[in-house]
Amino acid sequence: MAELNLILLGPPGAGKGTQAERITEDFNLPYIATGNILRAAVSEGTELGIKAKSFMDAGALVPDELIIAVILERLQAADAQDGFLLDGFPRTVPQAEALGTQLAGLERHLSAVLLIDVTDEEVVRRLSGRRVSAKTGRVYHVEFDPPKNEGVCDIDGSRLIQRDDDKPETILNRLAVYHEQTEPLVGFYTELGLLRRFDGARPPVEVHDHIRAQIATLRLEDRI
Ligand code: AP5
């Protein structure tokens, strides 16, 4: 069976991380999430983290030249040779072009770009109620997906926190940045025949069922 090289696309808070957890389990793919990579770099105080922090705190994108090199190198690791799930990359047309060039040079290609669609109003509701465990990475929502015990992670009891960029004024900026810099990728990947759109307003379990069914269909059609 051909390798499965997937991209998750969508506005902040669409549910990309939530779905990624399920998809990586279904298909045993390495999960490469630029937001997680950058947040780890910030908390470890690496050179990348120091450069990225102010952009992230403001809800802006970190410069292409910082992130492209990191992700293209990550894709060359042994665990990504039979497939991958990218979340948060590419986020600009130059990032998409750089990824396309690298994959073409390796005679690899993308299988599909999974767009999770939600309205701006829903994004604000979701991000303002999101809580995460800094230790396990498990994501919750105070209303839609609460932990069993308030404020602590179901997995290991670690404390749940609110991300710095989930403050109301930063959320609005992230949305504006998405529409301006990332949304053009919808057209970019539609033209390449790779875009698959999912209604992210549905409950997580339904969104997951739709994504899984779509990947199964692609496999049946022998496209991947
Ligand atoms: P990143 O971490 O990638 O953030 P994001 O794209 O803004 O996405 P989020 O993680 O906020 O949301 P999500 O779609 O994963 O939603 P989630 O599943 O958590 O990036 C952070 C920053 O890093 C950027 O702003 C930028 O500065 C920098 N960066 C990253 N990549 C970069 C790049 N390539 N280039 C430049 N800079 C880059 O769900 C959200 C909430 O909703 C949760 O509480 C969840 O429980 C709930 N929820 C999920 N699904 C549902 C549902 N179906 N129904 C109801 N609630 C739901």
Side-chain angles (χ1 to χ4, degrees):
M1 197 175 289
E3 61 190 65
L4 198 51
N5 299 326
L6 299 172
I7 290 176
L8 273 171
L9 188 64
K16 302 182 296 294
T18 301
Q19 295 304 322
E21 206 177 302
R22 296 161 160 91
I23 301 168
T24 47
E25 241 181 73
D26 290 341
F27 300 102
N28 194 24
L29 295 171
Y31 175 42
I32 303 171
T34 42
N36 294 350
I37 291 171
L38 289 168
R39 278 185 291 279
V42 169
S43 75
E44 286 159 19
T46 64
E47 200 186 327
L48 171 67
I50 292 165
K51 286 183 182 156
K53 188 175 186 319
S54 60
F55 296 100
M56 296 175 74
D57 285 348
L61 297 184
V62 309
D64 283 341
E65 61 272 22
L66 271 187
I67 194 73
I68 287 175
V70 173
I71 299 306
L72 296 190
E73 193 188 329
R74 174 67 186 86
L75 286 175
Q76 304 211 35
D79 69 338
Q81 297 316 299
D82 294 328
F84 54 77
L85 178 66
L86 273 171
D87 171 3
F89 186 95
R91 231 171 168 111
T92 62
V93 171
Q95 291 180 18
E97 288 169 345
L99 175 65
T101 303
Q102 165 146 322
L103 291 177
L106 297 166
E107 295 186 9
R108 300 179 70 180
H109 62 272
L110 289 171
S111 311
V113 176
L114 314 171
L115 170 67
I116 306 184
D117 232 357
V118 292
T119 61
D120 288 5
E121 293 73 29
E122 183 66 13
V123 165
V124 174
R125 280 207 304 157
R126 287 190 187 175
L127 293 188
S128 39
R130 172 165 62 184
R131 299 293 180 271
V132 288
S133 160
K135 223 165 141 212
T136 66
R138 171 78 162 84
V139 177
Y140 299 87
H141 190 282
V142 290
E143 190 186 334
F144 310 131
D145 183 17
K148 290 193 186 89
N149 297 305
E150 201 186 322
V152 294
C153 181
D154 294 350
I155 299 171
D156 66 352
S158 56
R159 198 170 58 87
L160 302 183
I161 56 162
Q162 186 171 32
R163 269 170 48 173
D164 285 342
D165 59 352
D166 279 350
K167 308 270 153 56
E169 57 292 358
T170 316
I171 293 172
L172 294 180
N173 196 35
R174 287 165 66 197
L175 266 171
V177 167
Y178 173 77
H179 290 306
E180 194 184 311
Q181 298 189 55
T182 306
E183 217 164 25
L185 294 181
V186 174
F188 182 95
Y189 284 120
T190 300
E191 273 182 28
L192 293 176
L194 289 168
L195 196 89
R196 300 290 179 272
R197 196 181 280 265
F198 301 91
D199 179 4
R202 293 176 177 277
V205 66
E206 281 185 33
V207 180
H208 175 224
D209 285 346
H210 292 164
I211 291 176
R212 239 187 355 192
Q214 177 63 240
I215 293 173
T217 307
L218 287 172
R219 283 201 151 149
L220 276 177
E221 290 169 353
D222 219 16
R223 295 177 65 124
I224 48 179

